[in-house]
Amino acid sequence: MTTPVAVGRIEFSTTDPDRAIDYLSRVYRTSLQVSGARDGYLHRHTRSDGGLFAIDDVWLPLHVCVRQEPLDSLIIVQIDSGRMERECGDVSERFLTGDVFVDAEPTLPATLRMLGVEAQTVMLDLAVLAQVAAASPGRVAGPIRLTSLQPRSALAALQWQRTVTFLRDLLASSEAAAQPLITGNAARLLAATVLTTFPNTAIIDPTAQDRQDATSTTLRRAIAFIEQRPDADIGVADIAAAANVSIRAVQFAFRRQLDTTPMAYLRAVRLDHAHHDLLATDPNHGDTVTGIASRWGFYSNSRFATQYRRAYGVTPSHTLHNRF
């Protein structure tokens, strides 16, 4: 299980370039050398912090050149306006308004030349990406590597933009953003979207060994682990580790024997706990459907209501207000 840090919103602005450079070096956790920045021009940065990931808006004035040291996070950029040229390794690429791309290979330094750039950046903890991409928890042969810093296709880039918009709205809700189950799931969703958006070395399909390990014993171990800790921020890697098999094996076991996925089973268990909380809660004491749903990791009220009605035949609010 990854450990999230505090969530929140940060806003920063200054016309002092030295102060801006110091601030950006701290929030992006790398050493930056900037040339071309001048006094009197506004630098702005806002951050919606999800703990293991962050969504930022960056405004940089006129023409600046940024030399950055290797990062300890993955940063994906979408240019809202302006132009950017990036040199990373032996590759030089140019980007215009609307383009989506990875800022740089995390293990390499990069040089960014920007002309009047307003951009959205998404910063993701590399440990989350490794966990989601791992074929086998705790036994990964090496780090997952992106084989291209640009999306597979225009459709992949669009799906990335939609996911980021969804997560930005989630972080705007203080009630949802305060729930570890929600922010943990959001970080894993973001990592999974990275892997479907950008070409990479992750193995997706189950191997012959995975199929052999997808037994009823594996399934029982996985289910026991889920049902013992439904309130913990766990992902499929944690479930696979508890069953002592690979991630692909536990996924295949659930699919073959229950026609579902480990995470869908976990959501069903959490839905049942939310149902019991709705039955046991007195709405006159201030508890709400939204609060109970968030507590159990459901950050979309409409999706929670749909799943709840499908399972129990009534709406969550009906259960809350008609318990007797």
Side-chain angles (χ1 to χ4, degrees), residues 24-25 27-32 68-76 102-110 112 123-124 126:
L24 293 173
S25 296
V27 296
Y28 289 109
R29 303 199 295 265
T30 188
S31 175
L32 300 177
Q68 68 182 30
E69 294 305 310
L71 304 165
D72 64 357
S73 299
L74 190 68
I75 297 178
I76 296 92
V102 177
D103 167 82
E105 163 60 45
T107 61
L108 297 175
L112 309 173
M123 189 173 181
L124 176 66
L126 289 172

Side-chain angles (χ1 to χ4, degrees), residues 83-312:
R83 293 179 291 168
M84 181 184 296
E85 179 179 328
R86 179 198 57 219
E87 294 179 5
C88 184
D90 57 357
V91 178
S92 178
E93 296 175 288
R94 294 182 178 180
F95 304 100
L96 303 174
T97 299
D99 286 344
V100 173
F101 57 94
V102 177
D103 167 82
E105 163 60 45
T107 61
L108 297 175
T111 299
L112 309 173
R113 296 182 180 87
M114 293 172 274
L115 181 61
V117 166
E118 296 183 13
Q120 173 184 266
T121 67
V122 177
M123 189 173 181
L124 176 66
D125 191 308
L126 289 172
V128 182
L129 185 68
Q131 182 192 64
V132 170
S136 181
R139 298 188 294 275
V140 183
I144 300 302
R145 185 173 61 86
L146 300 183
T147 55
S148 173
L149 302 185
Q150 296 193 46
R152 300 175 188 271
S153 64
L155 184 60
L158 180 60
Q159 183 58 44
W160 169 261
Q161 293 167 337
R162 288 173 174 169
T163 300
V164 173
T165 298
F166 170 72
L167 294 180
R168 182 190 288 274
D169 291 343
L170 183 152
L171 293 179
S173 167
S174 57
E175 187 171 26
Q179 297 295 334
L181 294 187
I182 289 182
T183 54
N185 285 339
R188 287 186 286 272
L189 169 62
L190 191 63
T193 307
V194 168
L195 296 174
T196 58
T197 301
F198 300 95
N200 60 80
T201 58
I203 299 172
I204 297 175
D205 296 326
T207 64
Q209 184 63 51
D210 294 334
R211 295 175 185 276
Q212 182 177 325
D213 289 342
T215 63
S216 58
T217 300
T218 291
L219 185 66
R220 286 197 301 272
R221 288 174 179 163
I223 289 175
F225 177 77
I226 289 171
E227 294 184 344
Q228 286 167 7
R229 48 186 56 74
D231 57 342
D233 178 24
I234 58 176
V236 67
D238 304 301
I239 298 169
N244 198 32
V245 296
S246 74
I247 291 172
R248 311 304 173 223
V250 78
Q251 289 173 327
F252 193 61
F254 273 86
R255 177 61 66 191
R256 182 165 67 183
Q257 299 179 55
L258 297 180
D259 194 27
T260 189
T261 67
M263 297 309 291
Y265 188 92
L266 175 60
R267 285 193 295 273
V269 171
R270 288 174 174 168
L271 184 68
D272 184 60
H273 280 271
H275 171 64
H276 284 285
D277 280 0
L278 288 167
L279 288 171
T281 295
D282 185 347
N284 295 322
H285 292 168
D287 282 322
T288 64
V289 169
T290 298
I292 292 171
S294 296
R295 184 187 310 154
W296 289 104
F298 296 94
Y299 41 76
S300 168
N301 282 341
S302 60
R303 194 170 300 176
F304 173 70
T306 297
Q307 294 177 21
Y308 188 91
R309 184 160 193 158
R310 187 181 299 132
Y312 301 104

